Amino acid sequence: MSDKNKDLKKKLFSQKKNGWDQVKKTDIEAMESYCEDYKRFLNAGKTERLCAQQIITLAQKAGYVPYERGMALKTGDKVYLCNRGKSVLLAHLGKKPLDEGAQIAAAHIDSPRLDLKPNPLYEDGELAYFKTHYYGGLRKYQWPTIPLELHGVIAMKDGTVKEVNIGHDAGDPKLVITDLLPHLAAKQNEKSLSEGITGENLNVLIASTPVEDKELENRVKLNVLRMLNETYGITEKDFTRAEIEVVPAFKARDVGLDRAMIGSYGHDDRVCSYTSLAAMLKVENPVHTSCCLLVDKEEVGSNGATGMHSRFFENIVAELIALTNASYSDLILRRCLKNSKMLSSDVSAAFDPNYPEVNERKNSAFCGRGFTFNKYTGARGKSGCNDANAEYIAYLRKVMDDAGVFFQTSELGKVDQGGGGTIAYILANLNMEVIDCGVPVLNMHAPWEVVSKIDVYETCRGYEAFLRAEK
């Protein structure tokens, strides 16, 4: 090939580079330190409630203060608001008035898991179990035979709330869901993958020791209630007032001989929540008000008071406008939403060479190539998607290029293979510019997901560049 054609190819072809070929050696130490902080965040935030607590702790250390209705606000102020302990909004007031719009990074902090049923405890075969109801799009066969832990709250009649933590701390016992031994699994092996383990099979083994009175029935169950009563002061009826989640007992760990990846439960979508939060906490003196919105319930449709369909975000923006603009009106709120730009921060499916048949290589996200943009998600004919405008993508490309952020573009698998959705369309329905973007993930929705450190780091840099940008 002639030098002329080489130059022409370099100029005209899309250059898809591995991030490790682009990263500066001086940045690798910062990346490793950042990823250690992220692993600590994952280990401490196994549920949306615990995650919200971590977010608030980090925000307070960065100078954010609780939002109070009617408080005096001015340019440069940093406030946060927690919605029912499960979602958090951070706002850093910019130099421009809010009617010129905000820069918003929004992600979700819930992950696929198992929830205890309202009446979960039973005994069978002289063993005690908790019955569960799975939450989100998990693959049921992946949950038996792995170590599990419990987290949640029990709301008492007197208004107090008791926190439950079993299996997380050093020295705690672990829990497990049992499965058939291969010697007796012939009929199970004939079933499809989705039918081999059913939702009603996801019962958590919790105890095997009976109380001493041999004449009683349900002696193991009674022993469990005795222990729970001694520790938490509860009876069986209190489970109906509880939110207790079963999550993997794994801790975040480096993956690979080169330690270039991170394995953990909850990357979807705490990897985008943390990168959005970390970027937000770095931003100083923003031109436009920057917001970090971290919400619940995305894995089950974003409904409910703590999900993105709630009016929580819209109502708080209205209050912020009222406190910073004496001539507040609904028109100014609508103008603010219209002029805002948002990154819907959610994970992408990473190309997996073990299953190449579900991906189209030219439009797949690859581990190690950096921050990933999805112009649209949805299923098949883009059903249920937000499809970002070309003009907005051009704006974001300039922001990323100016900041030197490594990024790639992706679709969620082949056209008719399946699909998925995010919170993007919900905020786009408020007439703001929105695009999906985030970190490519292997083993998505599994008990132990895998991401590339360089993708995590570049995604944070991308969010930071966006939050600092002018419109």
Side-chain angles (χ1 to χ4, degrees):
M1 185 183 294
S2 67
D3 290 342
K4 179 180 179 180
N5 285 334
K6 286 180 181 179
D7 291 341
L8 187 63
K9 182 178 179 180
K10 184 176 181 180
K11 176 182 177 181
L12 297 180
F13 275 32
S14 176
Q15 303 296 319
K16 297 181 179 181
K17 298 180 180 179
N18 189 299
W20 295 102
D21 295 330
Q22 305 176 73
V23 67
K24 298 176 182 177
K25 290 184 179 180
T26 53
D27 289 339
I28 292 179
E29 185 176 346
M31 179 189 72
E32 290 290 349
S33 176
Y34 174 83
C35 287
E36 288 301 311
D37 290 339
Y38 171 52
K39 286 190 285 186
R40 283 189 284 272
F41 178 83
L42 285 169
N43 291 337
K46 288 288 190 77
T47 70
E48 69 284 358
R49 287 181 183 267
L50 294 172
C51 198
Q53 292 173 16
Q54 290 295 305
I55 291 163
I56 291 169
T57 298
L58 293 172
Q60 289 174 338
K61 288 180 180 179
Y64 282 78
V65 299
Y67 172 80
E68 296 179 7
R69 186 165 294 171
M71 69 190 300
L73 290 176
K74 63 183 184 306
T75 298
D77 283 349
K78 304 175 182 179
V79 296
Y80 73 86
L81 185 69
C82 186
N83 182 17
R84 295 171 171 85
K86 298 181 184 179
S87 57
V88 185
L89 169 70
L90 282 70
H92 188 166
L93 297 182
K95 300 171 186 176
K96 300 283 188 179
L98 268 167
D99 63 332
E100 294 190 23
Q103 300 287 92
I104 305 163
H108 67 91
I109 56 176
D110 60 316
S111 296
R113 61 176 191 260
L114 306 177
D115 290 338
L116 294 196
K117 290 188 175 185
N119 295 291
L121 180 58
Y122 73 99
E123 178 181 339
D124 194 359
E126 299 181 349
L127 300 172
Y129 294 88
F130 278 144
K131 296 195 71 66
T132 69
H133 194 131
Y134 64 92
Y135 172 99
L138 56 77
R139 305 186 77 183
K140 296 184 283 291
Y141 77 89
Q142 295 175 336
W143 284 73
T145 76
I146 64 172
L148 302 168
E149 60 191 55
L150 298 182
H151 293 281
V153 297
I154 303 170
M156 308 303 286
K157 288 194 294 184
D158 63 3
T160 60
V161 176
K162 298 180 182 292
E163 292 193 10
V164 175
N165 172 4
I166 301 173
H168 180 75
D169 296 337
D172 273 8
K174 308 303 179 188
L175 308 176
V176 71
I177 297 168
T178 59
D179 194 7
L180 277 173
L181 62 163
H183 314 70
L184 300 177
K187 288 190 176 181
Q188 184 189 49
N189 291 340
E190 294 174 0
K191 296 180 180 179
S192 67
L193 198 62
S194 63
E195 295 172 337
I197 299 292
T198 68
E200 294 297 343
N201 287 144
L202 296 175
N203 302 313
V204 181
L205 177 63
I206 58 170
S208 60
T209 306
V211 295
E212 293 180 358
D213 192 337
K214 298 179 181 180
E215 296 183 1
L216 293 176
E217 294 183 356
N218 291 316
R219 295 165 63 207
V220 180
K221 175 181 176 180
L222 180 58
N223 194 36
V224 170
L225 288 171
R226 178 190 62 77
M227 290 187 287
L228 293 174
N229 183 260
E230 290 175 355
T231 303
Y232 299 106
I234 64 170
T235 68
E236 188 173 13
K237 288 183 179 180
D238 292 317
F239 282 113
T240 61
R241 296 191 294 270
E243 291 180 359
I244 301 176
E245 302 174 14
V246 183
V247 297
F250 308 127
K251 291 187 180 298
R253 291 286 186 269
D254 287 349
V255 170
L257 301 181
D258 54 2
R259 295 181 175 270
M261 308 186 89
I262 302 171
S264 179
Y265 165 69
H267 283 315
D268 182 7
D269 185 34
R270 291 173 192 136
V271 67
C272 294
S273 296
Y274 184 77
T275 47
S276 297
L277 173 67
M280 181 76 174
L281 300 184
K282 290 181 180 180
V283 173
E284 295 294 340
N285 303 313
V287 176
H288 300 278
T289 293
S290 54
C291 293
C292 182
L293 179 59
L294 306 172
V295 297
D296 183 27
K297 296 291 188 291
E298 191 276 344
E299 298 293 358
V300 291
S302 295
N303 295 305
T306 56
M308 196 62 249
H309 278 298
S310 164
R311 302 297 287 271
F312 166 67
F313 171 71
E314 193 175 347
N315 291 344
I316 294 305
V317 172
E319 291 197 27
L320 292 175
I321 293 173
L323 291 174
T324 56
N325 190 328
S327 59
Y328 169 80
S329 69
D330 186 66
L331 177 61
I332 295 176
L333 171 62
R334 300 301 155 196
R335 190 179 300 150
C336 170
L337 296 173
K338 173 184 178 295
N339 291 331
S340 292
K341 290 179 168 59
M342 174 189 158
L343 298 182
S344 174
S345 308
D346 210 338
V347 295
S348 297
F351 179 82
D352 189 337
N354 282 327
Y355 307 98
E357 65 276 6
V358 300
N359 291 111
E360 193 260 290
R361 281 178 179 264
K362 289 178 64 64
N363 290 285
S364 295
F366 285 77
C367 289
R369 289 188 182 173
F371 190 25
T372 301
F373 286 98
N374 293 75
K375 186 178 187 296
Y376 47 81
T377 54
R380 297 174 175 85
K382 300 186 182 181
S383 176
C385 79
N386 167 69
D387 198 339
N389 292 320
E391 294 85 351
Y392 185 40
I393 297 172
Y395 162 82
L396 290 170
R397 179 178 176 181
K398 183 179 187 307
V399 170
M400 298 303 128
D401 285 344
D402 289 349
V405 175
F406 317 150
F407 67 94
Q408 57 185 315
T409 59
S410 174
E411 287 189 332
L412 187 61
K414 289 183 176 178
V415 173
D416 286 326
Q417 189 66 45
T422 68
I423 64 173
Y425 75 96
I426 303 169
L427 283 157
N429 286 343
L430 297 177
N431 197 25
M432 67 177 70
E433 295 278 18
V434 183
I435 192 171
D436 283 299
C437 56
V439 177
V441 176
L442 293 166
N443 301 345
M444 190 188 296
H445 282 211
W448 220 54
E449 301 168 314
V450 178
V451 297
S452 167
K453 289 182 178 179
I454 202 164
D455 296 339
V456 176
Y457 187 64
E458 288 300 308
T459 296
C460 181
R461 293 184 64 235
Y463 292 150
E464 184 180 356
F466 169 78
L467 292 171
R468 293 182 186 277
E470 292 194 50
K471 297 188 185 303

